[in-house]
Amino acid sequence: MKRIDNILTGSSVRACRGRQSMATVLRAGLVALAALTLTACQGTDVDSRPYEKRADGSWGRGEEERDTIFGKGGINLLGGKSKDEDAGGAGVAVNAFLWRASLDTVSFMPLSSADPFGGVIITDWYTPPETPDERFKVNVYILGRALRSDGLKVSVFRQERGRSGQWVDVAVAPAVTTEFENAVLTRARQLRSAAGS
């Protein structure tokens, strides 16, 4: 019986010592991992210049951009504003002047949908009070962040009420679409001039 107790006691002592050594190895591993992490942080090139408020309202260390393997300023993955784009504002994924000008131009029509990140404005049907038997609908697509004439596409739809009371699609003259685009571009240029850029 004593042999079994000795064997059991001996195995439990060995198991306890094994747990202690395992805990010691884990602690040593965690300390080594922490040391490696801190060493990796130490190796970075820390800029000692203080943060300053820039002209565009953002905060940073000076105006120069870092030179990386992807060129000056690196890669723009999160949609930040680059210096060569005429963005006209922040918070909108398309040109802010074109966006605002488009909304101003269609302000007399009811909006069905407006997506500033996709650059799409869709109006609902609008019936002019002077011609109750016709109605119009406009889709505006802002295609980029630059304030350019090719950064805007407008589609105008027109319907007339038929004899049976049903709305019937009618062709729209291309000049109407061109005039609408010109009105948006003119308003966008006015907004840019007023902003002083």
Side-chain angles (χ1 to χ4, degrees):
M1 193 73 154
K2 281 191 170 186
R3 285 178 149 181
I4 294 176
D5 285 341
N6 286 342
I7 293 173
L8 290 175
T9 307
S11 66
S12 65
V13 168
R14 280 192 301 267
C16 186
R17 285 185 187 144
R19 282 189 211 120
Q20 285 176 346
S21 64
M22 180 65 97
T24 304
V25 169
L26 283 174
R27 267 190 233 119
L30 287 174
V31 168
L33 181 62
L36 284 174
T37 304
L38 290 174
T39 304
C41 290
Q42 259 182 347
T44 60
D45 182 22
V46 178
D47 194 344
S48 62
R49 291 177 295 157
Y51 276 95
E52 300 171 348
K53 190 164 187 175
R54 295 180 179 154
D56 65 355
S58 66
W59 287 86
R61 291 185 169 121
E63 289 296 322
E64 71 274 352
E65 295 182 36
R66 290 183 350 167
D67 195 14
T68 68
I69 61 171
F70 299 109
K72 273 277 196 215
I75 242 176
N76 188 357
L77 293 177
L78 300 177
K81 179 180 174 184
S82 70
K83 290 186 178 185
D84 59 344
E85 293 174 332
D86 181 18
V92 179
V94 295
N95 184 279
F97 297 124
L98 283 175
W99 177 255
R100 184 70 220 160
S102 299
L103 287 175
D104 287 353
T105 307
V106 299
S107 63
F108 66 96
M109 303 176 82
L111 281 181
S112 176
S113 168
D115 177 15
F117 299 103
V120 178
I121 298 172
I122 300 173
T123 68
D124 206 352
W125 289 103
Y126 168 74
T127 303
E130 58 275 358
T131 55
D133 287 334
E134 71 175 344
R135 63 184 187 174
F136 297 91
K137 179 179 178 149
V138 176
N139 294 350
V140 179
Y141 305 98
I142 301 169
L143 306 173
R145 293 189 55 92
L147 177 52
R148 299 175 9 168
S149 61
D150 62 348
L152 178 72
K153 181 179 181 330
V154 175
S155 299
V156 180
F157 304 95
R158 179 176 170 233
Q159 289 184 339
E160 289 182 352
R161 193 185 315 263
R163 292 185 179 157
S164 63
Q166 298 284 339
W167 291 103
V168 179
D169 291 333
V170 178
V172 177
V176 173
T177 301
T178 304
E179 286 177 26
F180 199 95
E181 288 176 351
N182 288 339
V184 171
L185 290 167
T186 301
R187 179 67 181 139
R189 289 183 191 107
Q190 291 170 347
L191 291 170
R192 183 176 64 181
S193 294
S197 16

